[in-house]
Amino acid sequence: MKLPQQYKSTYIDTPLGQMIAISNQEALYFLEFNDWRGLDRKIEQLTAKIKTTIIPGSFEPIESIRHELESYFSGKLKEFKTPLHLWGTSFQNNVWQELIRLPYGQTRSYQTQARAIGKPTAFRAVANANGANPMAIIIPCHRVINNNGNLGGYGGGVARKKWLIDFEKENV
């Protein structure tokens, strides 16, 4: 009989506040700010998807992202290498993969993001997929802004989004 996969969660302190990380032994499944407005709902969705409970603790992907976040916030890391498990819809995963390709220190509009995935009129759907992103900072939805240059929304709060954009531009 095969035992069910274990999933663990832990908190990681960052200069922008505490984050929660969830992984199994192979990959990171979730990273978000602890005060994110949709946190409980998103963790419930993940728990339903993986069909098991999440217990306190840590696996290698959590330790990897902890070290990478330290390096990121010190201005040294520009690209994350921690293995990720993306558990969104096909469309969301496509949007998130394209976000990962958006270079550090650069921004683009939701409309440009929609064109980049081959769906030029789907900018609202792209914005919704950004909002469902389960990997704050790693999948850099904070780099996507409105056509008019305004920041737009961010699950972690617009003040964090501005900080992240400014921080990356200063450390390019």
Side-chain angles (χ1 to χ4, degrees), residues 7 26 31 47 49 52 55 65 67 81 112 128-129 137 172:
Y7 293 81
E26 290 88 36
L31 179 71
T47 302
K49 183 91 169 169
T52 189
I55 60 174
I65 198 59
H67 295 298
K81 301 291 186 199
T112 302
N128 286 336
I137 302 174
V172 171

Side-chain angles (χ1 to χ4, degrees), residues 10 16 45 48 50 97 102 137 156 168:
T10 196
L16 291 179
Q45 289 172 346
I50 61 176
Q97 288 294 339
L102 181 53
I137 302 174
E168 289 183 2

Side-chain angles (χ1 to χ4, degrees), residues 19 21 28-32 61 64-66 68-69 72 77-84 86 96 99-102 133-143 154 164 168:
M19 300 184 84
L28 190 68
Y29 276 63
F30 190 77
L31 179 71
E32 189 52 75
S64 174
I65 198 59
R66 180 190 314 274
E68 286 189 330
L69 285 169
Y72 171 85
L77 183 86
K78 311 294 187 235
E79 187 177 323
F80 292 92
K81 301 291 186 199
T82 297
L84 306 178
L86 303 181
W96 299 338
L99 279 170
I100 290 170
R101 289 188 276 279
L102 181 53
N133 172 12
M135 307 282 181
I137 302 174
I138 304 170
I139 299 177
C141 60
H142 61 273
R143 296 179 190 156
Y154 182 62
L164 289 165
E168 289 183 2

